[in-house]
Amino acid sequence: MSDFSEELVRPTTEDEQGETCVLSGTGMCFPWLQKHIETVGKTLVATGGKREKDFAQTTSACLSFIQEALLKHQWQQAAEYMHSYLQILEDSDSNKRQGAPEIIWRLGSEILYYHPKSSLETFNTFADRMKNIGVMNYLKVRSDLCDGGLFSSLWQISLQHALYLLHHGLLEDANRNLSQAETWRYGEKSSSKEVLINLIQAYKGLLQYYTWSKKKMELSQLDEDDYAYNTASQNMLNHSWKTSINLCALIQIPGVWDPFVKSYVEMLEFYGDQDGAREVLTNYAYDEKFPSNPNAHIYLYGFLKRERAPREKLISVLKLSIEKNMILHRKKEEHHKLGLEVLFGVLDFAGCTKNITAWKYLAKYLRQTLMGSHLAWVQEEWNSRKNWWPRFHFSYFWAKSDWKDDKTLACEKALVAGILLGKGICFIFFFSGHGF
């Protein structure tokens, strides 16, 4: 793979330890970084020692190259630029250095997730090193400036790492990762830190709920008079106790916590705590501190229906759910308009002319926008582009090239062209693929 990933997975050798090299907060040795800095230093001695300025310009340029490569899905190039961008860990500006782990994590994890030669081992090593770098930065500075944001970033890294492990079916590893993050208690308490801790604990609770639900399925297949039934029932009770502790704290904080609420309520109902389940769902649906969430009313309605609640009660819940849906629909329309602007903006970029995902979504958004009677939104975006997009995207040359390289892309572009320019343009794409 690239130098970036190889640097992550290999240990520091004795020869390298003997070399003059730059060390990160974890003791990672970067001989390539030292060579770069020496070159910069020699150049800048003659210009008044403006090393910091040049260093900042170098890392800024690297970041721009990485962003462009990511936008084009050029994972190998992004990895190569990332290898150089790691020097930001040695920035003389403490604020930049403290924010570096989160930036590197977000960019690096995206690269490693999509790189064709990436592996689980590489991703795990990268995540662990980023956590260690963050801790070492804290121990170096020990200031209130880094306290809040730094460990919020570390918890986010741990949570995202755990979700990556879950994606690969590694439940025990994910649980171990979350348990480790849960023990971190650095600096002063803050509301944002408490929310993240509760979120980590809640995801642990979801893992425990998964185990509990499996045991519930096993229990349903046993005879109640069987000794194994009592043993399995006790194991379930132990798991539900752990799970409820981890879930309970989070769902009391205002937010949208659908999977956590559903899991918690299912366990409460299973053990006959109908009052507790009703209280959780009622607060989730009606507490004004919580954001509007139609699902909350659906969950409450389902619970009341299972309880055979009076018809009047069920209707009142449904009415409120409809009102909430109307409010959310208006907000969704605003987001849809913004999405349309973003898609047009992405396809303005030359590097994205063959981005099939962007074309698919633009075609979808255009259809939905016109069906929703929002022609003005399309006209607003198209008016500034109608003089150059046809040549930039929809010329006969591009139609023929797209049809030859990727027929799916050609069809998506033809659909967009037909909406924006009229049905006749679609024939250009069709005939270009048939030798006319």
Side-chain angles (χ1 to χ4, degrees):
M1 199 179 152
S2 68
D3 291 340
F4 166 51
S5 59
E6 290 170 358
E7 188 68 53
L8 294 173
V9 297
R10 68 166 181 79
T12 305
T13 64
E14 292 182 4
D15 292 339
E16 286 176 337
Q17 289 174 349
E19 292 181 9
T20 302
C21 64
V22 172
L23 295 174
S24 76
T26 59
M28 291 166 61
C29 182
F30 299 128
W32 48 268
L33 176 56
Q34 178 62 31
K35 291 174 184 176
H36 170 82
I37 291 176
E38 284 176 355
T39 302
V40 171
K42 289 175 182 177
T43 304
L44 294 175
V45 165
T47 61
K50 297 179 181 178
R51 172 178 166 177
E52 290 81 3
K53 182 179 179 181
D54 188 84
F55 193 95
Q57 289 174 344
T58 302
T59 53
S60 177
C62 270
L63 182 59
S64 297
F65 291 143
I66 293 167
Q67 290 171 331
E68 184 176 348
L70 289 176
L71 189 61
K72 296 179 180 179
H73 292 186
Q74 296 171 343
W75 311 116
Q76 178 61 29
Q77 285 188 23
E80 291 168 1
Y81 290 130
M82 193 71 193
H83 181 251
S84 298
Y85 184 69
L86 291 174
Q87 65 183 295
I88 198 174
L89 294 167
E90 303 301 327
D91 200 302
S92 59
D93 186 329
S94 60
N95 289 327
K96 289 183 179 179
R97 192 168 62 247
Q98 291 153 23
E102 182 175 2
I103 296 172
I104 293 173
W105 164 255
R106 290 187 181 280
L107 296 173
S109 60
E110 184 80 1
I111 293 167
L112 293 177
Y113 186 84
Y114 289 105
H115 199 293
K117 293 184 180 179
S118 181
S119 66
L120 184 62
E121 178 191 3
T122 306
F123 195 98
N124 288 341
T125 303
F126 175 57
D128 290 338
R129 291 199 175 185
M130 292 316 304
K131 294 172 203 172
N132 292 337
I133 288 169
V135 172
M136 291 303 295
N137 276 351
Y138 174 81
L139 296 176
K140 283 180 181 179
V141 182
R142 295 174 182 266
S143 70
D144 292 336
L145 291 174
C146 74
D147 179 49
L150 174 60
F151 276 94
S152 292
S153 298
L154 288 175
W155 280 314
Q156 288 171 9
I157 290 173
S158 292
L159 183 56
Q160 291 165 8
H161 186 196
L163 292 175
Y164 178 83
L165 293 169
L166 283 175
H167 177 71
H168 285 79
L170 302 172
L171 272 66
E172 291 184 7
D173 290 345
N175 188 62
R176 189 160 45 248
N177 188 287
L178 293 172
S179 296
Q180 182 189 46
E182 189 183 8
T183 62
W184 292 344
R185 292 292 189 278
Y186 294 90
E188 298 178 0
K189 289 185 177 181
S190 68
S191 57
S192 61
K193 289 167 82 172
E194 286 301 313
V195 171
L196 275 171
I197 292 171
N198 288 332
L199 188 59
I200 285 171
Q201 291 172 337
Y203 270 100
K204 276 189 65 180
L206 276 186
L207 291 177
Q208 291 159 351
Y209 163 78
Y210 177 76
T211 303
W212 177 84
S213 62
K214 284 177 65 178
K215 292 183 179 297
K216 177 184 171 185
M217 182 67 69
E218 293 170 2
L219 189 68
S220 66
Q221 298 172 358
L222 296 175
D223 190 331
E224 291 187 17
D225 297 329
D226 194 336
Y227 173 78
Y229 183 91
N230 294 329
T231 304
S233 180
Q234 186 59 46
N235 285 339
M236 276 186 64
L237 187 61
N238 293 337
H239 275 284
S240 66
W241 177 76
K242 294 176 184 176
T243 306
S244 62
I245 291 175
N246 284 323
L247 294 177
C248 190
L250 179 70
I251 62 178
Q252 293 176 18
I253 300 170
V256 179
W257 311 121
D258 290 357
F260 307 101
V261 170
K262 286 180 66 178
S263 303
Y264 187 46
V265 166
E266 182 184 339
M267 289 191 298
L268 290 174
E269 285 191 80
F270 183 82
Y271 291 109
D273 189 357
Q274 305 301 110
D275 292 339
R278 187 185 304 105
E279 181 181 357
V280 169
L281 290 172
T282 302
N283 289 341
Y284 193 51
Y286 291 112
D287 193 326
E288 293 183 355
K289 295 193 296 290
F290 283 76
S292 295
N293 181 6
N295 287 342
H297 299 276
I298 293 171
Y299 300 152
L300 179 59
Y301 174 82
F303 172 79
L304 293 173
K305 194 171 181 180
R306 289 193 297 273
E307 273 203 317
R308 300 182 184 279
R311 186 169 179 271
E312 294 77 14
K313 180 68 175 176
L314 293 173
I315 290 174
S316 68
V317 172
L318 284 177
K319 281 183 177 178
L320 189 56
S321 178
I322 292 170
E323 291 174 8
K324 295 284 185 182
N325 265 314
M326 290 175 67
I327 295 171
L328 286 175
H329 179 70
R330 287 195 291 271
K331 290 183 178 179
K332 186 177 180 180
E333 284 192 334
E334 294 174 5
H335 293 159
H336 191 93
K337 185 175 187 296
L338 178 61
L340 197 64
E341 294 174 12
V342 169
L343 287 167
F344 269 106
V346 167
L347 291 168
D348 284 344
F349 187 59
C352 293
T353 55
K354 293 184 179 293
N355 188 322
I356 190 168
T357 302
W359 285 109
K360 280 183 177 179
Y361 273 101
L362 182 58
K364 177 182 176 182
Y365 269 55
L366 285 172
R367 286 196 302 268
Q368 292 175 348
T369 302
L370 295 175
M371 287 173 65
S373 301
H374 294 298
L375 178 61
W377 294 358
V378 179
Q379 289 175 333
E380 182 181 342
E381 297 302 321
W382 183 239
N383 284 339
S384 62
R385 295 175 171 87
K386 61 184 179 183
N387 293 328
W388 63 277
W389 257 47
R391 292 191 303 275
F392 187 62
H393 286 305
F394 306 132
S395 67
Y396 179 81
F397 169 80
W398 282 120
K400 191 169 185 178
S401 173
D402 292 337
W403 189 268
K404 180 180 178 182
D405 297 339
D406 188 339
K407 290 182 174 58
T408 303
L409 171 65
C411 290
E412 293 296 339
K413 288 182 69 174
L415 180 57
V416 172
I419 294 172
L420 296 175
L421 299 172
K423 294 181 180 178
I425 194 69
C426 295
F427 290 102
I428 293 178
F429 286 84
F430 178 76
F431 290 140
S432 66
H434 292 78
F436 289 95

